[in-house]
Amino acid sequence: MSTVAEQDIYADIRPYHDDEVAPAIARLIADDEFIHAILHYRFPHLAGPLGWLLSPLVKFSLKRRWSRLDNVQAVQRQVATFMERMIESSTNKITVSGLEHLTPGKAYLFVSNHRDIAMDPALVNWCLYHHGLDTVRIAIGDNLLRKACASELMRLNKSFIVKRGAKGPREMLKNFTLLSSYIKHSLEHKHSVWIAQKEGRAKDGLDETDPAILKMFYMEGKKRGESFAEYMAGLNIVPVCLSYEYDPCDVDKINELWQKQTSGSYQKTEFEDIDSIIKGIVGFKGRVHVAFAKPLTEVPADPDALAQLIDQQIWQNYRLYPVNYLAAGLTHASVDEKLVELWQQRLQTVPQGATSLMSALYAAPIMRQSELE
């Protein structure tokens, strides 16, 4: 089967190719909903009454800035420029470890803890890019792509779609079989892949790998008649741990957990996912550490044991900050009066009964690391 034919199987879910970049950008600029979203976040006070006047200006500006973007590499450079500005304004410092474990030109399956929808894969990409390594293809759930413009943006930036909204078991099986095949296809064609260790962010700070994700990886291996351990070892799985000193979405996460705890359910608003993405990107994160573990060459024979191994690697590599010790109620030389005061202010931003949930979110890494000792 030809490469083109193989790629066409994945046309629904894969990132855009070079020849699809310019048409996708043209569709974005023509999308009134996309233009309105930009106005809403850039000029919130003017977007309503003066939207009709500002829209053509935004379109003109985008055309001027994006007209030269006609391949994936050009889009990636544009994203890198944006990331530089964002990192400058929303972080104190970004550090990275473990890149010496990676071989240039080799494809890896990066399985990462999941704290932020956009920033987790973006920071992994930023670290790889700045160390001369290829950026990754990013797995993103279709629940975040309800708007056509969101799908266009993500697929322009090397993202592929994880279809979660299946109508029944047969459709779900079909979707995950294709996804498993696409991940292996990407790796075989020397494209690294980033995927979160479980669906949804760890709102309680407890990063845990869902064995169901690993079973999905293996669906293609099963089809090929390979054992679980043999196939999974061939995927070059690299556990990745992102440690944020501060979570820009912490209050929202705690409010959601508190509402579920007190009323039994939580209903997302229409633009909540988009708001979380923007808040995570522009919100203050303090220091951030990205740790790449060694590729897993010795893989256990079952998904649960492999999930535990990935968790162990992630928690061992978690970078602890003063706020983690403070939230855990531990005395530590790095905790000073100013931090205590700022922490108290942070606790006051959540409902009174939910302060223990906020503390647990920031204390989780210390608790998990102590369990490994």
Side-chain angles (χ1 to χ4, degrees):
M1 192 184 286
S2 71
T3 307
V4 172
E6 281 178 355
Q7 287 170 341
D8 285 344
I9 299 169
Y10 311 116
D12 259 6
I13 64 169
R14 61 165 174 75
Y16 288 137
H17 295 152
D18 284 348
D19 61 345
E20 296 167 309
V21 168
I25 286 173
R27 286 194 299 273
L28 267 177
I29 294 170
D31 187 329
D32 289 333
E33 205 165 10
F34 176 60
I35 301 301
H36 180 73
I38 292 174
L39 286 171
H40 175 69
Y41 289 107
R42 288 294 301 274
F43 313 104
H45 303 302
L46 299 174
L50 295 175
W52 62 274
L53 188 62
L54 294 174
S55 289
L57 296 175
V58 172
K59 288 188 179 189
F60 176 76
S61 172
L62 290 177
K63 272 181 188 168
R64 201 182 63 209
R65 283 168 54 196
W66 289 0
S67 61
R68 295 185 301 278
L69 302 179
D70 58 2
N71 61 71
V72 175
Q73 194 68 37
V75 173
Q76 290 277 286
R77 282 196 296 271
Q78 186 82 9
V79 171
T81 304
F82 169 76
M83 280 291 292
E84 296 291 346
R85 289 203 306 270
M86 184 282 306
I87 284 167
E88 187 69 33
S89 63
S90 75
T91 69
N92 285 341
K93 189 180 185 183
I94 294 190
T95 50
V96 59
S97 62
L99 285 171
E100 68 277 6
H101 304 317
L102 307 179
T103 306
K106 191 171 183 178
Y108 297 95
L109 176 53
F110 296 105
V111 179
S112 150
N113 66 332
H114 194 26
R115 297 297 183 91
D116 187 274
I117 298 167
M119 290 312 302
D120 294 347
L123 285 165
V124 166
N125 260 345
W126 188 83
C127 293
L128 294 171
Y129 179 82
H130 278 275
H131 288 80
L133 296 162
D134 289 336
T135 54
V136 299
R137 288 178 172 176
I138 300 163
I140 186 159
D142 61 358
N143 57 304
L144 299 173
L145 307 175
R146 293 190 187 105
K147 305 287 182 190
C149 57
S151 183
E152 298 278 23
L153 279 170
M154 293 302 183
R155 294 179 75 183
L156 277 167
N157 190 34
K158 288 178 75 171
S159 295
F160 61 94
I161 300 167
V162 178
K163 292 186 177 181
R164 293 189 181 131
K167 300 284 190 293
R170 188 176 294 177
E171 190 186 341
M172 191 184 294
L173 180 66
K174 183 185 165 192
N175 289 347
F176 287 143
T177 301
L178 186 70
L179 180 63
S180 180
S181 169
Y182 179 70
I183 288 170
K184 181 64 173 174
H185 168 85
S186 294
L187 297 170
E188 285 176 338
H189 287 77
K190 302 290 183 220
H191 295 286
S192 290
V193 169
W194 176 94
I195 192 166
Q197 65 181 162
K198 67 175 180 182
E199 183 184 331
R201 295 166 296 162
K203 297 183 182 77
D204 55 6
L206 295 173
D207 302 314
E208 290 176 337
T209 304
D210 185 352
I213 300 269
L214 308 179
K215 290 173 187 172
M216 178 273 291
F217 294 161
Y218 179 55
M219 290 169 86
E220 177 65 18
K222 198 171 185 180
K223 205 164 80 177
R224 296 182 183 202
E226 295 180 37
S227 71
F228 181 82
E230 177 193 6
Y231 182 77
M232 299 301 268
L235 296 180
N236 296 325
I237 294 172
V238 174
V240 179
C241 181
L242 291 116
S243 317
Y244 297 89
E245 185 172 14
Y246 293 103
D247 183 340
C249 298
D250 54 6
V251 173
D252 297 330
K253 290 178 181 179
I254 298 310
N255 282 335
E256 179 177 334
L257 292 175
W258 178 244
Q259 208 164 310
K260 283 179 180 173
Q261 197 172 297
T262 53
S263 63
S265 65
Y266 177 78
Q267 190 62 46
K268 277 188 181 182
T269 58
E270 187 187 355
F271 294 105
E272 192 164 330
D273 286 332
I274 300 294
D275 286 335
S276 292
I277 289 171
I278 291 165
K279 200 174 283 188
I281 291 170
V282 302
F284 181 67
K285 292 167 270 292
R287 289 169 285 184
V288 183
H289 185 72
V290 185
F292 296 85
K294 288 181 181 175
L296 301 180
T297 48
E298 299 287 319
V299 175
D302 73 274
D304 291 306
L306 178 54
Q308 285 178 3
L309 178 61
I310 292 169
D311 288 351
Q312 184 185 30
Q313 294 293 313
I314 285 172
W315 285 111
Q316 278 176 346
N317 280 296
Y318 201 97
R319 176 68 57 91
L320 297 174
Y321 299 106
V323 69
N324 301 121
Y325 294 103
L326 181 59
L330 300 174
T331 53
H332 195 268
S334 64
V335 176
D336 58 24
E337 282 182 26
K338 189 182 178 190
L339 177 65
V340 173
E341 189 184 328
L342 289 170
W343 177 243
Q344 288 306 317
Q345 288 172 11
R346 209 170 190 94
L347 289 178
Q348 285 166 20
T349 59
V350 298
Q352 199 171 1
T355 54
S356 60
L357 293 173
M358 180 72 100
S359 295
L361 171 67
Y362 282 92
I366 286 185
M367 301 307 169
R368 277 300 166 95
Q369 283 193 359
S370 65
E371 289 168 14
L372 294 175
E373 291 170 1

